[in-house]
Every structure is written in structure tokens, then in C-alpha cells.
Amino acid sequence: GLERVEVVKGPASGLFGQGPLSGIVNLVSKRPQEDAFLDLGMSAGSYDLIEVRADANAPLTADGTLTARLAAVYRDQDFFVHSSGQKRIFLAPSLRWQMGSRTSLTLLGRYQRDDIRPWSPTTAYGTALPNPNGPLPISLSINDTMYPAVQKNDYWNLGYVFDHQVSEAVAVHQSLRYQDFHNSWDNWLFITGINTQDIPATAISPLIPAYSRVSRAFYGPYEENGTYFRVDTNASARFDTGPLNHYLLAGLDYGRRRSDNYNLYDTSNPYYLNLYAPVYGTVSTHNPAVPFSTAGSRTRQLGLYVQDHIKLGDVLTVTVGGRWDDASAINLSGGVASPKTKATAFSPRAGATLALNEWASLYVNYSKSFTPQFSYRDVDQKVLPPERGVNYEGGVKIARSDGRLTGM
């Protein structure tokens, strides 16, 4: 369902808001095109992989003012561990309305459902490390194959992209997205320990050699439901001041996210499994005496940003800008809301490129990053301060006009 993947390296909070020091990835959905086409594909592979794909595009009116596109995928596959696998259904419809020569509106939808039988990591003894009882196959299931782990993920998105060219120099853009999501799992078993010594035989059980039996924890049921909303509005203008050519961008974006979940993690029983003689069908559910826990979060973010991209002929390019962010969150535990926590930041960004000749340029960059840590707390249960980063970069860019050599 993606048209392309865009990567912004380094801190990008000066324009895009909250994000890590390393950079951000922008996933661009497929959009309607002018020409009609139909692409069908089918794949098969290891672990009983079957995948069917379709990408259909067509104009809905004779003048091409309305165009539509649908991308769809169905996939069914097993994983390398016994009794594990995944089924996926993906649909991404889109509709573009060209209101006039200067105005367009694109509606975007997306639905994804994953039905997963997840696997759990096995022990290092017998796989990555030696085990006195011999090697273990990586296909060994830690989950109970008679009552396999189940995981379900459902996401649907609705949104639009609106563009209006006010004049040859001024443009307005707005993008909006609303997402509803649901995640759940149950019967998921994880190793919590392994016997490091022989366990003597008893009247009802034989000797259990060291490093042959693991204890497990029961994870589930887990249920999460939530919504996410984000809207970004900006305006751009191109103009000259003397010998300088400007591309000025200014905007505001707003986002909020809500999620609620209940969770059960059961370590009250050891849920033993003999790695070399596994017996399945013994763990069908958790201990009913173990209580559930509930949690949730409410986050909000508001950002104002401005950037000026300045060119002096074909020799010098300078970019300066900054962004102010105001973020807040309320966390819930057991139905009790915590006090609201807030974080604000100003993230500047500046860079320059000086062309030495047609294929080589000098460049310098300076930028900062800002990432709130509302979900993390210290030993005193206080919310951790935002993660902040700063990047200084300089060097030489090389790019031949024929594209045969690039580097930096």
C-alpha cells in the first residue's frame, strides 16, 4: 500500500516535531493516478507462504476530475516454529477529486487485520549455547501447540490531503488522519527459567536432567483499544528579496492519542515444559485467581513551525527554521488518573550548502531533536524528562550529473 518510503536522517524536530536523534521515516500511501491500470500478483514460498496482491486504478469521470485506486493484499504463511503463522488482509482505497487547476482533495482509507499464531523465544542452552543433553531445534514450540497462542491486530485509518494553489507563489496544504486500533493476545507462554541441576526421580516422575526443563509464564488475555488523530496545516510562499530567492513554510499541527487496555501476566504456576520430550495440551488457560490489571493513556501534542529555504543563485543555499512543541499526557492505572505531565521545547534547525563546481559541494547542518518520555518513570515513579538530542554535521557532497557517482 506504499507509493514510496522517505527517510530524513538526523534530528528533524525543527520541522516535524517529536522524534529521535537518528531521524524519521515517512511512509507515503499509494494515490490515484491519471491512467487506468490493473496489476495482479501472486507469490508462494517457504513455510507455506501464499500471497495475492492487487493494485487497481481508474478515472471515474471522462474529464479525469475523479480518479480512484484500490490496493489489496491477502497473505497466509507459517513461521519457522511449529504451530505458528500469520494471516493478513489489507485494503487501501483512495479517491482523488481535482476540483480545478489549482485545488485537489485526496481521500485515503486503510484497513489491516492480522490473525497471528505467535511464537516465543526458546532457551539459549541447546541453540546458541551448548546443552549437555544435545542441541535443540529452533522449530521447538514453547507455546502449547494444542492451545496455541493467538494474537489479533485490527487497524483502520481515514484521512485526506488537501492542496490549494492560491497563486503562483502561495500555496496551502492540509493533511488529516484518524485511526482506530485494536490489539489482543492470549495463551502466550514465555520462558522464565531453566533447571540448572538434576531433579531426582520420585515415585511418580523420572529423573529430570539439568538444562532439560523450563518454567513458563502465561501472558494473556491482553486487550487494547484506542484512537489516534492528527492534522497538519501549513502555507508556503515563494518570493525574492534582492538577489535572494526564498521558499518560506509555516504551519501548525495537532495530534492526540487515547488507549485503554487490560492485561494479565500469570507467574503463579511454573507451567513446566520438558524441552527434549515436550508434552502439549496441559496449559489451556491462566490461573483464574490471578487478577487483571488495567491501564490507559491520553496524550496531546501541539506544534508551530516555520522554515525559510534561501538560495543565492546556484552557489549558496541556506535553510533556517524552528519549531515550538507543547505536549501533555495523563496516564491511568487501575482506573485512577495520574496528574497531567507536560513537556515543551523549541527545536531549531539550520544548514548551508556551498557549490564548489557542478559535482561537488560543501555542507554544514545543525539541528535538535525532542521526544517526550511520558510512558517511562524513574525509581521514584516520576515521569522521565524528555529525550533531547543535538546534531552537528559537515562535509562534502559529490554527485555527478549523470548519476553514476554519488557520495558524501
Side-chain angles (χ1 to χ4, degrees), residues 18-278:
Q18 304 173 24
L21 180 64
S22 56
I24 61 173
V25 176
N26 183 35
L27 306 178
V28 181
S29 302
K30 289 183 176 180
R31 313 287 174 89
Q33 306 295 315
E34 293 181 357
D35 300 325
F37 61 82
L38 174 62
D39 292 333
L40 298 175
M42 182 174 180
S43 301
S46 302
Y47 304 111
D48 297 325
L49 168 66
I50 296 292
E51 180 179 279
V52 180
R53 304 176 302 276
D55 188 3
N57 186 91
L60 302 182
T61 58
D63 59 1
T65 56
L66 280 178
T67 52
R69 188 172 185 176
L70 174 65
V73 175
Y74 172 79
R75 181 186 303 135
D76 187 356
Q77 67 178 125
D78 292 335
F79 297 146
F80 66 94
V81 176
H82 291 316
S83 298
S84 65
Q86 178 185 40
K87 290 183 180 180
R88 168 172 290 182
I89 297 174
F90 173 84
L91 298 170
S94 56
L95 177 69
R96 178 181 173 87
W97 178 20
Q98 190 67 42
M99 303 179 187
S101 60
R102 293 177 177 267
T103 308
S104 68
L105 175 67
T106 302
L107 305 178
L108 299 169
R110 181 186 181 103
Y111 172 76
Q112 180 174 314
R113 177 183 175 89
D114 291 322
D115 293 293
I116 308 169
R117 288 168 289 124
W119 53 271
S120 297
T122 187
T123 175
Y125 297 105
T127 53
L129 300 175
N131 190 311
N133 304 289
L136 289 168
I138 61 172
S139 59
L140 174 68
S141 177
I142 301 302
N143 290 309
D144 195 308
T145 59
M146 299 295 291
Y147 303 99
V150 291
Q151 181 179 7
K152 297 181 183 295
N153 301 326
D154 286 283
Y155 305 88
W156 63 263
N157 298 336
L158 291 175
Y160 66 80
V161 177
F162 175 78
D163 288 290
H164 176 62
Q165 194 78 29
V166 179
S167 66
E168 293 298 325
V170 179
V172 176
H173 168 90
Q174 184 178 73
S175 59
L176 178 147
R177 183 180 67 171
Y178 177 84
Q179 180 185 76
D180 183 279
F181 58 90
H182 168 249
N183 304 309
S184 66
W185 59 74
D186 202 357
N187 288 47
W188 208 341
L189 298 170
F190 291 90
I191 292 176
T192 57
I194 189 170
N195 65 311
T196 57
Q197 296 180 347
D198 292 345
I199 300 176
T202 67
I204 59 173
S205 65
L207 169 73
I208 301 176
Y211 297 99
S212 67
R213 189 177 76 172
V214 295
S215 57
R216 298 172 294 177
F218 192 104
Y219 198 6
Y222 173 87
E223 196 88 21
E224 179 188 29
N225 293 281
T227 60
Y228 177 73
F229 172 81
R230 190 173 186 111
V231 59
D232 179 25
T233 306
N234 61 61
S236 60
R238 298 181 183 273
F239 58 94
D240 296 329
T241 56
L244 303 179
N245 175 260
H246 297 261
Y247 176 62
L248 181 64
L249 176 71
L252 177 148
D253 70 22
Y254 170 78
R256 67 171 185 264
R257 186 181 188 274
R258 177 196 63 81
S259 71
D260 295 283
N261 69 76
Y262 66 84
N263 184 31
L264 187 144
Y265 189 70
D266 177 12
T267 57
S268 65
N269 293 322
Y271 300 110
Y272 290 126
L273 178 69
N274 189 314
L275 299 171
Y276 293 89

Side-chain angles (χ1 to χ4, degrees), residues 170-402:
V170 179
V172 176
H173 168 90
Q174 184 178 73
S175 59
L176 178 147
R177 183 180 67 171
Y178 177 84
Q179 180 185 76
D180 183 279
F181 58 90
H182 168 249
N183 304 309
S184 66
W185 59 74
D186 202 357
N187 288 47
W188 208 341
L189 298 170
F190 291 90
I191 292 176
T192 57
I194 189 170
N195 65 311
T196 57
Q197 296 180 347
D198 292 345
I199 300 176
T202 67
I204 59 173
S205 65
L207 169 73
I208 301 176
Y211 297 99
S212 67
R213 189 177 76 172
V214 295
S215 57
R216 298 172 294 177
F218 192 104
Y219 198 6
Y222 173 87
E223 196 88 21
E224 179 188 29
N225 293 281
T227 60
Y228 177 73
F229 172 81
R230 190 173 186 111
V231 59
D232 179 25
T233 306
N234 61 61
S236 60
R238 298 181 183 273
F239 58 94
D240 296 329
T241 56
L244 303 179
N245 175 260
H246 297 261
Y247 176 62
L248 181 64
L249 176 71
L252 177 148
D253 70 22
Y254 170 78
R256 67 171 185 264
R257 186 181 188 274
R258 177 196 63 81
S259 71
D260 295 283
N261 69 76
Y262 66 84
N263 184 31
L264 187 144
Y265 189 70
D266 177 12
T267 57
S268 65
N269 293 322
Y271 300 110
Y272 290 126
L273 178 69
N274 189 314
L275 299 171
Y276 293 89
V279 176
Y280 298 113
T282 61
V283 186
S284 61
T285 187
H286 61 87
N287 180 357
V290 176
F292 286 87
S293 63
T294 61
S297 65
R298 310 286 187 267
T299 61
R300 183 195 65 84
Q301 171 266 327
L302 177 68
L304 298 167
Y305 57 91
V306 62
Q307 176 179 282
D308 194 4
H309 187 68
I310 308 167
K311 295 183 67 176
L312 176 59
D314 296 326
V315 178
L316 179 64
T317 302
V318 177
T319 300
V320 292
R323 177 184 171 110
W324 178 81
D325 276 286
D326 182 1
S328 64
I330 297 176
N331 293 317
L332 298 93
S333 179
V336 179
S338 66
K340 179 185 289 188
T341 55
K342 299 188 66 176
T344 59
F346 175 73
S347 304
R349 181 187 183 198
T353 301
L354 177 64
L356 301 178
N357 50 45
E358 293 183 353
W359 53 270
S361 302
L362 298 176
Y363 76 95
V364 292
N365 284 322
Y366 164 76
S367 54
K368 284 188 173 183
S369 66
F370 163 73
T371 309
Q373 304 293 303
F374 294 132
S375 300
Y376 302 96
R377 297 177 180 273
D378 61 18
V379 293
D380 298 322
Q381 294 303 303
K382 295 181 180 179
V383 175
L384 294 177
E387 179 187 276
R388 302 177 189 270
V390 61
N391 180 72
Y392 303 92
E393 185 179 358
V396 180
K397 294 182 181 180
I398 299 173
R400 284 176 50 127
S401 59
D402 57 9

